Amino acid sequence: MMYELAHYINGRLIQSKTRKLDLHNPATGELIGQLAVADLSVVNQAMQAAQDAFLTWSQTTSAKRSAILFRYKSLLDQHKESLAKLVTQEHGKTLAEAMGSIQRGIDVVDFACGLPSHLKGSYANLVGTGVDSYSLRQPLGVCAGITPFNFPAMIPLWMFPMAIACGNTFVLKPSEKDPSCSMRLLELIKEAGLPDGVVNIVHGDKETVDALITHPQLKAVSFVGSSAVAEHVYKTAINHGKRAQAFGGAKNHCVVMPDADLDQAADALVTAGYDCAGERCMAISVVLAVGDKVADALIEKMRPRITALKIGPGTMQGVQMGPLISAQHLAKVKSYLEMGKQEGAKLIIDGSDDKPADNSNGFFMGPCLFDHVTANMRIYREEIFGPVLSIVRVADFDSALALVNEHEYGNGTAIFTRDGYMAHTFMEKVQVGMVGINVPVPVPVAHHSFGGWKRSIFSDIGMYGDESIRFYTKLKTVTQRWMPGGEKWM
């Protein structure tokens, strides 16, 4: 049955008679819903609601804000399965993947519950004669989040709980491809007791994004998406006087050394390369095999693991890889396979035509593996964002390290080795924001912070953890002296 999503402003659903965008179930190709694009008038309503709510919310005690978030976390735990079904319906990832991503979002909500202890500031007594000094962090005002299609629950939960815990209000623009889970997230936080207007949702595309990031009432914006759009959002926002953090694309390398446990590495690479159908910015997409012997042995171990992956609708039991998000994205990913072959790479596993036998209309493809990829090829340089893994054969550790450091992206990387000195050297010298040692997808836990380097981020502040506190607050430092005077009462 078709459904239509409204905007969520000041605790109410707001319809708008503007152009519509279609929603599809990627596992079937079926048109399942529509959403209206928020034009400037709708964005104005959302921003005004957030601005009005800020006057009270920013003065609400941190203990009361924390109590609402604790209730919210409990509700998220209770509704995890139904949230996962919404993610799978519109995104396509398996229910297990959806559940895992929601849990990573809940972990950040859990951290946000404890923010009062992080917002307490500092105090210095007698910095001068009769003079004390103290610092505190205060909220910014109205903030916005623009989130991607690949994690429709996790990334919103990385943003707005941290923002509101710090005393800000928020306007969320979820992906226009899978927005239903974000709507449900706001229904649950309203149930937890969040006052109306503190968090709002507007739907749309570039028109809506540009209206948000240039809006005079906006103080800060957080974005996750491709590097080209991230750069646009970042530059436009800061040129309009906003604080901005924009997370872009990735080309994550994994170095496999000759002393590595190749069974462990093969298991990890198959998971890191093909989970979520490769549609994640922390996916491993390049394997730097040190030496032909390592490359050949690794391929031999990976091949049966890759070909055994079960492809199908994310709701089907035992499925390990769901569809891609859209027909357009599927065509784009497949175009890289032809490009790689033309560039001289060897496509040793071609899953481009793999799909469930009883489902010909879904946006499916199977896992693909290239060998003999070189650094001058577009399939090496560009983010494919699909289930395509490339093996680059390198002579030694220094050559591998140089390739990682020379790439324009610097989101995540990993090394598999038993040599502690080599692992430490890699960690110290690699020019990448998140590093895994015998861990293929080094996404930080909630009390650390997420963030890459180079063209993977346009900002110097990461997401969640202590970095989010820096992003969503401004520092105020007070120096005070009290002089004796007035009527003496004793």
Side-chain angles (χ1 to χ4, degrees):
M1 186 174 71
M2 282 274 291
Y3 54 87
E4 185 168 326
L5 292 183
H7 312 290
Y8 184 88
I9 298 172
N10 205 25
R12 295 183 295 277
L13 296 176
I14 303 295
Q15 303 288 345
S16 61
K17 296 180 179 179
T18 55
R19 60 188 175 90
K20 301 290 200 309
L21 300 174
D22 291 338
L23 297 170
H24 292 86
N25 182 333
T28 64
E30 176 189 6
L31 179 65
I32 55 175
Q34 287 188 321
L35 72 163
V37 172
D39 59 13
L40 181 58
S41 66
V42 175
V43 171
N44 283 340
Q45 288 183 61
M47 296 298 292
Q48 189 60 52
Q51 182 63 49
D52 292 344
F54 177 71
L55 300 176
T56 301
W57 183 248
S58 61
Q59 297 303 307
T60 300
T61 66
S62 59
K64 288 182 179 178
R65 296 199 298 261
S66 181
I68 291 171
L69 286 167
F70 268 115
R71 290 195 293 271
Y72 185 45
K73 178 187 179 297
S74 177
L75 288 170
L76 291 171
D77 285 330
Q78 293 172 35
H79 294 275
K80 195 185 305 182
E81 289 188 12
S82 60
L83 289 168
K85 289 177 181 177
L86 282 175
V87 171
T88 297
Q89 174 179 289
E90 290 183 350
H91 176 272
K93 67 176 72 206
T94 69
L95 285 172
E97 290 169 341
M99 290 279 282
S101 69
I102 291 166
Q103 185 57 56
R104 293 306 298 261
I106 292 173
D107 291 346
V108 172
V109 177
D110 188 45
F111 178 80
C113 290
L115 275 200
S117 64
H118 295 269
L119 294 171
K120 60 187 178 183
S122 60
Y123 194 97
N125 188 36
L126 292 178
V127 296
T129 304
V131 177
D132 301 332
S133 183
Y134 62 93
S135 63
L136 61 152
R137 304 203 72 93
Q138 295 185 318
L140 303 174
V142 181
C143 302
I146 302 163
T147 57
F149 71 80
N150 58 328
F151 288 101
M154 182 181 78
I155 295 180
L157 290 173
W158 284 5
M159 292 182 183
F160 73 80
M162 293 295 296
I164 66 174
C166 291
N168 303 285
T169 54
F170 206 84
V171 177
L172 174 66
K173 205 298 286 183
S175 170
E176 66 277 14
K177 294 181 174 65
D178 48 10
S180 291
C181 190
S182 291
M183 296 292 289
R184 183 64 179 137
L185 292 178
L186 262 63
E187 290 175 359
L188 291 174
I189 201 166
K190 180 181 174 69
E191 185 179 338
L194 189 74
D196 292 343
V198 176
V199 182
N200 310 271
I201 283 183
V202 294
H203 300 294
D205 52 15
K206 186 178 184 297
E207 176 188 355
T208 308
V209 169
D210 286 342
L212 274 174
I213 63 180
T214 59
H215 199 281
Q217 289 174 306
L218 183 73
K219 299 301 181 184
V221 59
S222 183
F223 170 89
V224 177
S226 70
S227 287
V229 181
E231 185 171 19
H232 165 74
V233 168
Y234 180 74
K235 289 182 176 179
T236 303
I238 62 172
N239 286 339
H240 284 79
K242 320 301 181 187
R243 183 178 291 186
Q245 58 177 186
F247 299 81
K251 198 72 177 181
N252 303 315
H253 297 65
C254 180
V255 178
V256 181
M257 297 296 294
D259 69 328
D261 181 331
L262 293 187
D263 284 304
Q264 180 196 21
D267 285 335
L269 289 169
V270 170
T271 299
Y274 303 118
D275 274 7
C276 302
E279 292 176 323
R280 55 178 179 173
C281 68
M282 290 297 289
I284 292 293
S285 53
V286 176
V287 180
L288 299 176
V290 178
D292 287 334
K293 184 177 179 181
V294 171
D296 291 340
L298 191 60
I299 290 170
E300 183 178 350
K301 290 182 178 295
M302 289 175 65
R303 188 187 295 273
R305 291 168 165 86
I306 294 172
T307 55
L309 291 175
K310 185 177 179 181
I311 302 159
T315 53
M316 185 179 294
Q317 190 171 5
V319 164
Q320 296 158 286
M321 214 175 93
L324 298 184
I325 187 66
S326 67
Q328 294 80 7
H329 188 59
L330 175 63
K332 178 184 175 183
V333 173
K334 285 186 175 183
S335 73
Y336 277 101
L337 301 181
E338 291 305 313
M339 184 190 303
K341 289 187 285 187
Q342 292 172 10
E343 290 177 321
K346 294 183 178 180
L347 186 60
I348 58 176
I349 296 178
D350 182 359
S352 58
D353 294 325
D354 292 354
K355 58 177 58 185
D358 58 348
N359 190 325
S360 59
N361 296 319
F363 311 136
F364 291 97
M365 68 178 288
C368 301
L369 182 65
F370 275 109
D371 191 13
H372 296 286
V373 176
T374 58
N376 63 320
M377 297 177 181
R378 283 183 63 187
I379 62 167
Y380 170 80
R381 299 195 313 270
E382 298 177 10
E383 183 180 39
I384 299 174
F385 216 62
V388 181
L389 188 59
S390 296
I391 293 180
V392 179
R393 296 168 180 246
V394 295
D396 50 37
F397 170 81
D398 289 337
S399 301
L401 180 63
L403 282 176
V404 181
N405 287 346
E406 289 163 6
H407 204 281
E408 67 173 330
Y409 294 122
N411 205 46
T413 189
I415 185 170
F416 277 79
T417 180
R418 291 183 172 95
D419 188 326
Y421 174 80
M422 194 64 70
H424 187 268
T425 301
F426 182 76
M427 179 276 295
E428 285 283 353
K429 294 186 175 182
V430 74
Q431 299 297 301
V432 174
M434 292 170 281
V435 182
I437 298 171
N438 298 314
V439 175
V441 183
V443 178
V445 295
H447 51 273
H448 285 284
S449 296
F450 180 101
W453 289 8
K454 297 183 280 190
R455 281 188 62 81
S456 292
I457 188 171
F458 296 86
S459 174
D460 60 351
I461 302 179
M463 191 180 296
Y464 65 75
D466 288 342
E467 289 283 277
S468 265
I469 299 169
R470 288 178 55 211
F471 183 74
Y472 287 119
T473 60
K474 52 194 173 187
L475 178 69
K476 179 179 285 184
T477 304
V478 180
T479 304
Q480 66 181 18
R481 171 187 287 140
W482 293 104
M483 307 297 293
E487 184 177 352
K488 294 186 181 296
W489 292 95
M490 295 181 64

